Amino acid sequence: MSGNMGMEQLIPIVNKLQDAFASLGVGLPLDLPQIAVVGSQSAGKSSVLENFVGRDFLPRGSGIVTRRPLVLQLINGKQEFAEFVHCKGRIFTDFEMVRKEIEDETDRATGSNKGISNVPINLKVTSPNVLNLTLIDLPGMTKVAVGDQPPDIETQIRSMIMEFIGKDSCLILAVSPANADLANSDALKIAKEVDPPGTRTIGVITKLDLMDDGTDARDILENKLLPLRRGYIGVVNRSQKDIEGRKDIRQALSNERKFFLGHPSYRHMADRMGTPYLQRVLNQQLTNHIRDTLPSLRNKLQSQLLSMERDVEEYKNFRPDDPTRKTKALMQMITTFGSDLEKSIEGSGSEISTHELSGGAKINRIFHERFPFELVKMEFDEKDLRKEITYAIKNIHGIRTGLFTPDMAFETIVKKQISKLKEPSLKCVDLVVTELTNVVRKCTEKMNRYPRLRENTERIVNTRIRESEQRCKNQLILGVDVQLAYMNTNHEDFIGFANAQQRSENPGSKRKPGNQVIRKGWLALHNISMLKGGSKDFWFVLTAETLMWFKDEEEKDKKYMLALDNLKVQDIEGGFMSKKHMFALFNTETRNVYKEYKRLELSAGSQEEVDSWKASFLRAGVYPERAQDPNEDGSKDDIGSMDPQLERQVETIRNLVDSYLRIIHKTQRDLVPKIVMHMIVNELKEFIGSELLANLYSSGDQQGMMEESAEEAQRREELLRMYHATKEALQIIGDVSMTTVSTPMPPPVDNEWLKPSSNSSAPPTAANGYEHMCLRLTACFRF
């Protein structure tokens, strides 16, 4: 019995690859070339496989007998024996024991209630009577659950079959009985679903000897009636009576040969029928298939090996109880942690997020967007400020009518505003500490394999952060108290009394800031139609005086320009199902802001982006809407009338306060980030680099702290098994010689009859011209 030249090199290669992964208990990560046997129950699949081996070894019975995939590796050798991968080293020479072991191993995974499992059983059969083949016997397709089978047994079996035959590397052996309607063959239908061109499907017709008298399957076997690209091969298996009577399979193969030679409808193609010919065909096709898929298989294995190299490097000489290893691992972990934290803050890390800000970028945003926003929010409302100045001047003058502007009114107002700086400054510290804590947690993820080490490291580092946080807050409070202690009216940037008075007398002399661009970006505009919820994205440009929006970033197609005079920012709720974060602009004089709308509704994709836009509007002088003070209505009468002299004094103090607070705010925006960086961030980096290791050593048992988690030990073992299996697989493939005989693929045939959605119950009749074409195809169709 001989098959394809070179088969001894290729098919055993795939068997070795399967063994390399199965013996190490590793799930096969690659789609290896193989042949899957599919068909309905009682189609004769088991008999075909037993004829290949020449022995009775498969479970028999009614209902679903094959309940787990059986990977059958046939190996041509001088002696006859079998062995299972799950009990490697145990040799079976009694094939009755092979059958029992299949049944026992099936019950171990599925129980005895006729359930199924997709975990395969690997069986190797060595015999001088077989050709090298690798086949997978799958459960027979059924329609109805029997006994205590689950009601969805049909779906489960179909799903399992699709899992195997859906792979491009799998050849499909579609087994159909000759005494049933072939057009309704379950095997051919499911094969067509995954292999529409028919390049992977081989048809097998069983039970030819059981057809009614006067009928035959000649047109089918000649590939005329229901053509397949690879055609059909007929076999004759033992009958149920032969099996029960223990009829020898060798005698059955001899009878099969006599059947084809003696049957008038099949004798002309007897050399292309029968089990031995089917073995040769499958051997040839599997060899061709393996040869075609080995290059891509090698590439996948090499990619997989490279991806594991870095993780495996530290495990190659791993000894879990070596104290030297634990000490070295501790030092490496702390060094890596410090390096990762510094890279995350400095922005030079190798793992860069493309979804959100983190680490140093997040802290930078806190310093230069969030903190200035909080500062500007603390700025005064013009109306309230003038009211406070008026009260202060009148209260200072008392019963007298003041002729001069009092210095004490300036100092009182300024101190009140400076006191408000503590809250945003302390909030800045809180935001930075929160982000640092997140960075620490993320950087300790590499310590997951040592849970106690990670716990101690986070505890020590976070404790240090909290200590630095309190010192930093005390320093910031002290800085505000220092500003309150002395009003430096000789500051070079302070306008002074004379200039303030001159500006109050000549309002037009105030220098108007330039119309510089403050911010650009995308926002969704919701005032685009009368339809509720309608919105569209535009490119917005905010300057010191106007808000413009354009069609896109090129800023060529201007849609509108809105002046910022008398505008304020208002928070609004987004829709119930909306993920947009919204705010609005409205006019304090109740005029329409845009078209017929009283407010301009805008939204962004995140709250951080909305806050950033609000900060930009504040820089342009557009303040948030303030809550109405319930006592505000009656306060207007307390001020009384405003004479021109008092108005000038109020304006003078207003100019002085504005000038001095600009200096204070500028100083605060500059100093707070510096103090936070020095007292928290930089101090933390220095602590990790010089003191963390000593703190860990003094915190407890170092050996116990370096005990691995159970999950990490399991992960390491699985990774090492996979690594060695992949490496062995590459070595196996490296020994392959590609000098195999190749058989060309048969030309396409008209297989429209075999559509998955076909409901026809009877096979079509071939036309004369079409029959002639099929005859020519059959004549040149040689496996």
Side-chain angles (χ1 to χ4, degrees):
M1 182 180 290
S2 63
N4 181 27
M5 296 294 293
M7 67 186 177
E8 295 83 2
Q9 295 171 328
L10 293 185
I11 295 179
I13 288 297
V14 174
N15 294 343
K16 288 181 182 179
L17 292 178
Q18 289 173 328
D19 293 345
F21 287 97
S23 63
L24 292 173
V26 178
L28 192 62
L30 301 166
D31 300 335
L32 296 181
Q34 51 203 1
I35 300 173
V37 185
V38 297
S40 58
Q41 288 186 27
S42 304
K45 298 191 286 71
S46 298
S47 295
V48 171
L49 295 178
E50 287 182 336
N51 285 352
F52 283 175
V53 175
R55 293 281 185 174
D56 292 324
F57 68 96
L58 292 175
R60 297 280 182 176
S62 60
I64 301 177
V65 179
T66 303
R67 294 186 285 126
R68 287 178 61 181
L70 176 68
V71 179
L72 178 61
Q73 299 176 4
L74 303 182
I75 303 169
N76 184 263
K78 294 182 179 179
Q79 297 181 338
E80 186 179 55
F81 62 91
E83 60 179 326
F84 292 91
V85 171
H86 66 265
C87 48
K88 196 169 184 178
R90 182 182 174 189
I91 302 300
F92 292 81
T93 55
D94 183 354
F95 281 82
E96 284 292 336
M97 296 303 296
V98 172
R99 173 184 295 166
K100 185 176 186 305
E101 181 61 28
I102 293 175
E103 293 173 345
D104 293 344
E105 182 63 16
T106 299
D107 289 341
R108 290 185 195 113
T110 64
S112 57
N113 65 342
K114 299 296 183 180
I116 65 172
S117 169
N118 61 354
V119 179
I121 299 174
N122 288 68
L123 171 63
K124 297 200 298 187
V125 176
T126 303
S127 171
N129 303 314
V130 300
L131 288 178
N132 289 351
L133 275 179
T134 302
L135 305 107
I136 302 177
D137 185 22
L138 296 171
M141 288 176 280
T142 184
K143 301 290 185 183
V144 181
V146 296
D148 53 0
Q149 291 175 352
D152 63 339
I153 190 68
E154 179 186 3
T155 305
Q156 289 187 31
I157 293 176
R158 178 182 174 83
S159 176
M160 181 194 300
I161 293 174
M162 295 294 282
E163 180 181 341
F164 284 90
I165 68 175
K167 301 171 183 176
D168 291 338
S169 58
C170 181
L171 293 176
I172 305 168
L173 192 65
V175 179
S176 305
N179 58 352
D181 188 355
L182 191 63
N184 292 324
S185 167
D186 291 332
L188 292 177
K189 284 184 177 181
I190 198 170
K192 180 63 176 177
E193 289 184 33
V194 297
D195 180 33
T199 56
R200 298 190 285 120
T201 304
I202 301 171
V204 174
I205 304 299
T206 61
K207 303 185 179 182
L208 291 168
D209 56 328
L210 301 181
M211 297 186 71
D212 295 337
D213 292 340
T215 63
D216 59 53
R218 175 173 175 171
D219 288 345
I220 295 174
L221 294 175
E222 288 181 345
N223 211 28
K224 295 178 182 179
L225 186 59
L226 304 173
L228 287 178
R229 187 164 186 177
R230 291 184 182 271
Y232 298 87
I233 298 173
V235 296
V236 176
N237 299 324
R238 292 176 300 165
S239 65
Q240 188 62 34
K241 182 179 179 181
D242 293 337
I243 295 173
E244 293 173 356
R246 300 285 182 171
K247 184 176 182 179
D248 184 65
I249 292 182
R250 295 180 181 82
Q251 180 62 42
L253 292 176
S254 175
N255 293 342
E256 178 189 53
R257 178 67 175 166
K258 293 177 181 178
F259 173 82
F260 284 114
L261 288 173
H263 199 290
S265 298
Y266 308 135
R267 65 178 55 154
H268 67 287
M269 50 181 167
D271 59 332
R272 289 180 282 109
M273 294 290 124
T275 300
Y277 178 72
L278 177 59
Q279 284 196 70
R280 290 196 299 273
V281 168
L282 296 180
N283 176 271
Q284 173 70 68
Q285 297 304 321
L286 182 58
T287 303
N288 291 344
H289 202 54
I290 293 172
R291 188 203 59 188
D292 294 338
T293 56
L294 271 185
S296 63
L297 185 62
R298 181 186 291 109
N299 292 337
K300 290 180 181 178
L301 285 169
Q302 287 174 338
S303 299
Q304 182 170 301
L305 190 68
L306 288 174
S307 67
M308 291 188 292
E309 280 285 358
R310 184 190 303 174
D311 293 332
V312 169
E313 186 64 32
E314 58 178 306
Y315 296 148
K316 286 184 177 178
N317 301 311
F318 183 81
R319 288 181 296 166
D321 297 326
D322 184 2
T324 305
R325 180 200 64 79
K326 291 185 176 181
T327 301
K328 182 179 179 182
L330 173 62
M331 297 182 67
Q332 287 178 339
M333 285 289 177
I334 299 305
T335 302
T336 301
F337 167 67
S339 175
D340 288 347
L341 185 136
E342 183 166 0
K343 288 178 179 179
S344 178
I345 293 173
E346 298 298 330
S348 57
S350 56
E351 297 180 3
I352 299 174
S353 173
T354 57
H355 303 291
E356 61 179 358
L357 293 180
S358 62
K362 187 74 170 287
I363 294 174
N364 178 274
R365 181 187 172 276
I366 293 170
F367 285 159
H368 301 295
E369 286 190 14
R370 189 67 183 270
F371 175 56
F373 172 60
E374 296 295 333
L375 276 181
V376 177
K377 279 205 306 184
M378 302 304 295
E379 287 186 1
F380 39 77
D381 180 89
E382 187 68 28
K383 182 179 177 181
D384 289 344
L385 178 65
R386 291 181 181 275
K387 188 186 299 182
E388 291 176 4
I389 294 173
T390 302
Y391 279 128
I393 292 174
K394 286 197 169 192
N395 287 330
I396 290 170
H397 286 154
I399 199 171
R400 300 179 299 277
T401 300
L403 300 177
F404 305 100
T405 305
D407 292 347
M408 193 177 295
F410 160 74
E411 187 171 334
T412 301
I413 299 299
V414 167
K415 284 186 175 181
K416 182 178 179 181
Q417 297 298 325
I418 292 176
S419 300
K420 295 179 180 179
L421 296 178
K422 291 182 181 179
E423 183 180 343
S425 301
L426 298 181
K427 187 172 183 179
C428 177
V429 175
D430 291 336
L431 293 172
V432 171
V433 167
T434 299
E435 181 57 28
L436 270 182
T437 305
N438 292 336
V439 171
V440 169
R441 185 177 64 252
K442 184 176 180 180
C443 291
T444 55
E445 287 178 355
K446 293 183 179 179
M447 300 180 183
N448 279 339
R449 56 186 297 194
Y450 305 112
R452 290 184 59 188
L453 173 63
R454 180 178 185 181
E455 179 184 348
N456 287 346
T457 300
E458 288 189 2
R459 176 179 55 81
I460 293 171
V461 172
N462 287 332
T463 300
R464 187 61 175 235
I465 291 175
R466 296 302 175 187
E467 293 173 354
S468 300
E469 174 190 6
Q470 192 55 51
R471 290 196 299 270
C472 182
K473 285 184 175 180
N474 292 338
Q475 182 66 36
L476 292 176
I477 293 173
L478 177 62
V480 175
D481 291 340
V482 167
Q483 294 286 4
L484 291 169
Y486 177 66
M487 302 292 108
N488 183 16
T489 54
N490 286 326
H491 194 285
E492 58 184 3
D493 294 333
F494 187 57
I495 61 172
F497 181 80
N499 289 332
Q501 193 171 28
Q502 182 181 1
R503 289 188 183 183
S504 65
E505 294 173 353
N506 303 291
S509 65
K510 291 183 180 180
R511 181 176 59 86
K512 194 171 184 178
N515 191 28
Q516 73 272 20
V517 174
I518 295 176
R519 186 184 182 89
K520 295 183 178 183
W522 288 97
L523 285 172
L525 175 61
H526 293 258
N527 304 77
I528 60 173
S529 71
M530 296 304 292
L531 295 175
K532 187 176 180 180
S535 66
K536 188 175 182 180
D537 291 338
F538 291 100
W539 179 257
F540 281 77
V541 177
L542 174 65
T543 71
E545 298 179 354
T546 61
L547 177 66
M548 300 172 286
W549 55 93
F550 302 82
K551 180 181 178 181
D552 50 40
E553 300 99 319
E554 296 182 1
E555 299 180 12
K556 294 179 179 179
D557 185 6
K558 183 190 292 185
K559 297 298 182 182
Y560 200 78
M561 182 171 71
L562 178 65
L564 300 182
D565 297 337
N566 300 317
L567 292 185
K568 280 195 175 184
V569 176
Q570 181 183 47
D571 291 324
I572 57 177
E573 295 291 335
F576 177 71
M577 298 297 291
S578 174
K579 295 182 180 179
K580 293 285 187 180
H581 300 269
M582 302 183 67
F583 67 101
L585 299 175
F586 70 98
N587 194 295
T588 56
E589 298 179 355
T590 67
R591 294 201 304 257
N592 289 346
V593 177
Y594 170 62
K595 294 184 178 179
E596 70 275 12
Y597 297 98
K598 291 293 184 182
R599 65 181 185 178
L600 188 72
E601 296 181 1
L602 304 168
S603 68
S606 68
Q607 188 59 45
E608 289 185 355
E609 194 174 354
V610 168
D611 290 342
S612 184
W613 271 100
K614 288 181 182 178
S616 299
F617 276 109
L618 284 170
R619 288 177 56 196
V622 181
Y623 292 88
E625 179 186 27
R626 292 171 62 104
Q628 183 71 26
D629 188 346
N631 298 321
E632 190 173 330
D633 295 337
S635 64
K636 189 171 184 181
D637 297 333
D638 295 339
I639 298 176
S641 61
M642 292 277 288
D643 59 79
Q645 183 177 343
L646 180 58
E647 288 184 358
R648 285 195 299 271
Q649 290 177 354
V650 170
E651 185 65 26
T652 299
I653 296 297
R654 166 70 181 83
N655 292 332
L656 290 171
V657 170
D658 182 58
S659 176
Y660 195 81
L661 286 180
R662 286 182 185 275
I663 297 172
I664 298 299
H665 282 187
K666 183 178 180 181
T667 302
Q668 199 75 357
R669 283 197 302 269
D670 182 56
L671 279 180
V672 169
K674 291 179 178 178
I675 293 173
V676 173
M677 280 297 298
H678 174 69
M679 299 193 68
I680 299 181
V681 180
N682 290 343
E683 199 276 343
L684 177 64
K685 292 192 292 184
E686 184 178 346
F687 169 76
I688 292 174
S690 59
E691 300 181 41
L692 176 58
L693 199 57
N695 277 265
L696 283 169
Y697 272 112
S698 63
S699 66
D701 178 20
Q702 291 77 41
Q703 297 300 321
M705 188 162 52
M706 295 305 293
E707 290 295 331
E708 284 186 320
S709 65
E711 294 80 7
E712 177 59 25
Q714 182 179 357
R715 191 187 77 86
R716 185 187 68 251
E717 293 175 2
E718 290 178 355
L719 183 65
L720 287 173
R721 285 202 302 267
M722 179 65 74
Y723 175 80
H724 290 306
T726 305
K727 196 170 183 179
E728 181 181 350
L730 272 173
Q731 291 174 347
I732 292 171
I733 292 180
D735 298 334
V736 175
S737 170
M738 303 301 285
T739 56
T740 58
V741 176
S742 177
T743 302
M745 172 68 66
V749 296
D750 183 3
N751 57 4
E752 287 296 316
W753 65 275
L754 193 58
K755 290 184 177 179
S757 59
S758 174
N759 295 319
S760 60
S761 59
T765 304
N768 292 335
Y770 177 64
E771 182 176 357
H772 179 68
M773 178 190 73
C774 289
L775 285 171
R776 289 193 291 112
L777 287 178
T778 305
C780 66
F781 185 81
R782 294 292 184 270
F783 287 85

